[in-house]
Amino acid sequence: MPATREALAGLPVDVAPRLLGGVLEVTSGGETVAVRLTEVEAYHGAGTGDRPDPGSHARMGPTARNATMWGEPGHLYVYLSYGIHSCVNVVCGPEGAAGGILLRAGEVIDGVDAAERRRPAARVRRDLARGPGRLGDAVGLRHPAHDGIDAVTGFEQARAVARLWLPASVDPRVVSGPRVGVAGVAGTDAFPWRFWIDGDPTVSPFRWGRGAGPAADAQPGAQPGARRAGGASVLD
């Protein structure tokens, strides 16, 4: 079903599991690519939720960079990572609060040819949108041109249109655990705010961030701390 402001108005950590199995469809440069979402991460802004989130771009309050995170739910916060990769987040949260859900990975279900042209380094289809930078490249959203694009109304911005569809219910295979590559306590079990569809081949490999966990556990494909997202322990 099409995403609505109301469906995205909850706290990011509550909304995030509901995105999995949903679809982000983007038409950019005259080509359409649709991605079924399989992995996401929740981030809260200053004053959002029951605890500070030291891993969030909005942890210190509004800035020019994170302004989109403080806006209406359903817009896409598109930021530049390492000066190269455009990463895509779905803005969500109550009015006056900041929040975003990083789209970490997905399966390209439409527009494979276009995604392959944009992602020539991908050797197999599962890697087209396996990782947040790869997903941004595959769908054709770029910072700063597409930061703030509205995925609820589908209004055109910088020659691109984005639409988000949500599944009817949370996939029973959804599990949660620490966020990938996030430094310090924000990347530990204290913040099990990464959610993914267990067993899906497009989910990205886990790695600990600096100071967040034992390097010995950072094996490709490892998913430490996985818990069923529907359980009471998700926000422990």
Side-chain angles (χ1 to χ4, degrees):
M1 60 183 180
T4 63
R5 308 273 186 231
E6 293 75 18
L8 300 172
L11 293 175
V13 73
D14 295 328
V15 175
R18 302 173 195 167
L19 267 59
L20 294 171
V23 174
L24 176 67
E25 181 183 84
V26 178
T27 301
S28 179
E31 297 183 300
T32 298
V33 173
V35 174
R36 179 182 65 89
L37 304 174
T38 60
E39 181 186 11
V40 297
E41 287 178 346
Y43 291 88
H44 288 187
T48 304
D50 63 353
R51 74 194 75 176
D53 181 0
S56 172
H57 288 176
R59 63 187 178 277
M60 303 298 288
T63 66
R65 182 194 192 195
N66 67 34
T68 299
M69 292 182 72
W70 297 86
E72 281 185 311
H75 291 261
L76 302 183
Y77 169 47
V78 183
Y79 72 88
L80 202 60
S81 176
Y82 297 107
I84 303 172
H85 305 293
S86 292
C87 298
V88 181
N89 301 254
V90 175
V91 174
C92 61
E95 183 177 355
I101 300 171
L102 174 65
L103 306 183
R104 278 206 57 86
E107 176 194 9
V108 176
I109 58 173
D110 190 26
V112 173
D113 289 346
E116 288 178 339
R117 284 194 298 273
R118 294 168 178 166
R119 289 270 302 114
R123 296 184 178 181
V124 293
R125 183 169 171 175
R126 75 165 188 176
D127 287 340
L128 287 173
R130 192 179 186 220
R134 295 173 176 180
L135 188 150
D137 285 345
V139 299
L141 291 176
R142 303 301 298 169
H143 170 87
H146 300 126
D147 182 28
I149 192 170
D150 193 344
V152 170
T153 63
F155 288 159
E156 183 176 344
Q157 178 175 319
R159 301 179 62 191
V161 172
R163 294 303 300 259
L164 178 67
W165 280 268
L166 303 180
S169 60
V170 176
D171 192 308
R173 297 170 295 167
V174 171
V175 293
S176 71
R179 296 178 292 199
V180 176
V182 177
V185 66
T188 69
D189 284 329
F191 290 88
W193 291 1
R194 172 177 171 248
F195 302 87
W196 67 95
I197 297 177
D198 196 25
D200 193 289
T202 64
V203 172
S204 61
F206 181 83
R207 63 178 176 83
W208 293 109
R210 185 179 66 257
D217 287 349
Q219 300 298 322
Q223 308 291 352
R227 294 182 281 183
R228 291 291 167 191
S233 64
V234 168
L235 295 179
D236 289 354

